[in-house]
Amino acid sequence: MRRCAGAAAFLACIALLPALGAAAGIGARATGGLSYVSYGDFNDAVEYANSVAIPASGGSGEINSIYWIPEFGGELFVTVLPRLTVAAGGGIMFGKSAYEMETALGDYSYEHAMKAYPLTVTAYLDLPPLPFATTNVFLGGGAYRASLTFDESASGGSSPEEASADLAAWGFGVHGGGTLEFEIAPTVQFEIGVKLRYAVVEGFEGDRTNPDGSTSPVFLASYTDADGVVTFAPEATADEDAYGEGSVDLSGVAFQIGITVSF
């Protein structure tokens, strides 16, 4: 009975969407673009590896830092006041860094990848329109689910070795910015915008698959040891007190384009 009542209510809401859209300004927005993020702990370790560790090992090339990453998102919005719109949405951000090195002792490869899924609520305030476009500013916040992977392999010894780790954590952030909207049709707008964001995710935990196939619990560590070696890597949870905790800093600026459709 409850399922039937829920289905009936859902169908009723769908049937009312055109009327609600006309009265309240219901719509959807899809965006995509590039984000420049800090990603500080990882990029600090990369800078050390490129300037010290790789030359000292006799390797060549560099590990690429993670700064510019793709970002895509979608929102559903409703106009609550003549110039104020509230939206709820989600998205995805992802970045990857990889490195391969050949030495006299063997080959080494490394890959680190990050995915983040923001779930946000945002308020948009319409400003006085320009002759050629509609303008608005926005402010919001949300939760960020981030997942990390680390993959390493080395050959040249008695047997090749491979290890990997998967970690995840939740964080929170705030964002704000502005957009310009250009009308394509009465209910369709093309927009360009810029978004500033502060979001730091920490508390990563997960599992590492060791070279022998066993698994062990790990956390994300970021530290500089007594020899000046800068590390950003999964470490055994049992050693958590011996290392500094690492974080993923998604703070930065995003440049986006999008399509808005009103119902």
Side-chain angles (χ1 to χ4, degrees), residues 12-241:
C13 290
I14 295 296
L16 288 172
L17 273 178
L20 289 173
I26 291 176
R29 173 182 292 105
T31 58
L34 285 176
S35 293
Y36 182 89
V37 296
S38 169
Y39 218 71
D41 287 347
F42 174 80
N43 288 330
D44 289 344
V46 166
E47 182 180 355
Y48 169 81
N50 291 337
S51 61
V52 179
I54 293 176
S57 69
S60 61
E62 293 186 342
I63 304 174
N64 60 291
S65 301
I66 296 178
Y67 285 114
W68 290 101
I69 62 174
E71 179 176 359
F72 301 94
E75 290 182 316
L76 296 176
F77 63 81
V78 59
T79 301
V80 295
L81 292 173
R83 295 173 60 185
L84 180 64
T85 299
V86 176
I92 181 172
M93 310 164 64
F94 51 91
K96 184 172 71 173
S97 176
Y99 176 72
E100 294 184 358
M101 179 175 65
E102 296 181 4
T103 71
L105 300 177
D107 300 335
Y108 171 79
S109 68
Y110 167 87
E111 182 177 290
H112 166 62
M114 179 278 299
K115 291 182 180 179
Y117 305 90
L119 302 173
T120 59
V121 176
T122 307
Y124 292 83
L125 178 64
D126 292 340
L127 300 178
L130 300 174
F132 57 88
T134 300
T135 63
N136 63 55
V137 293
F138 58 86
L139 182 66
Y144 289 72
R145 175 66 171 179
S147 61
L148 308 177
T149 60
F150 295 83
D151 292 286
E152 291 184 273
S153 65
S155 62
S158 58
S159 62
E161 292 189 352
E162 296 183 359
S164 63
D166 297 279
L167 304 94
W170 282 95
F172 297 92
V174 294
H175 59 270
T179 66
L180 288 175
E181 295 182 351
F182 305 88
E183 185 174 295
I184 299 176
T187 59
V188 181
Q189 291 81 38
F190 170 79
E191 68 177 40
I192 58 175
V194 60
K195 176 171 62 178
L196 301 176
R197 170 175 39 231
Y198 175 81
V200 178
V201 184
E202 53 189 12
F204 284 90
E205 296 180 341
D207 292 300
R208 175 168 54 204
T209 302
N210 302 307
D212 62 2
S214 64
T215 60
S216 55
V218 293
F219 78 105
L220 181 63
S222 176
Y223 59 93
T224 303
D225 67 15
D227 297 323
V229 178
V230 182
T231 299
F232 177 88
E235 297 285 358
T237 302
D239 299 328
E240 193 166 358
D241 293 338

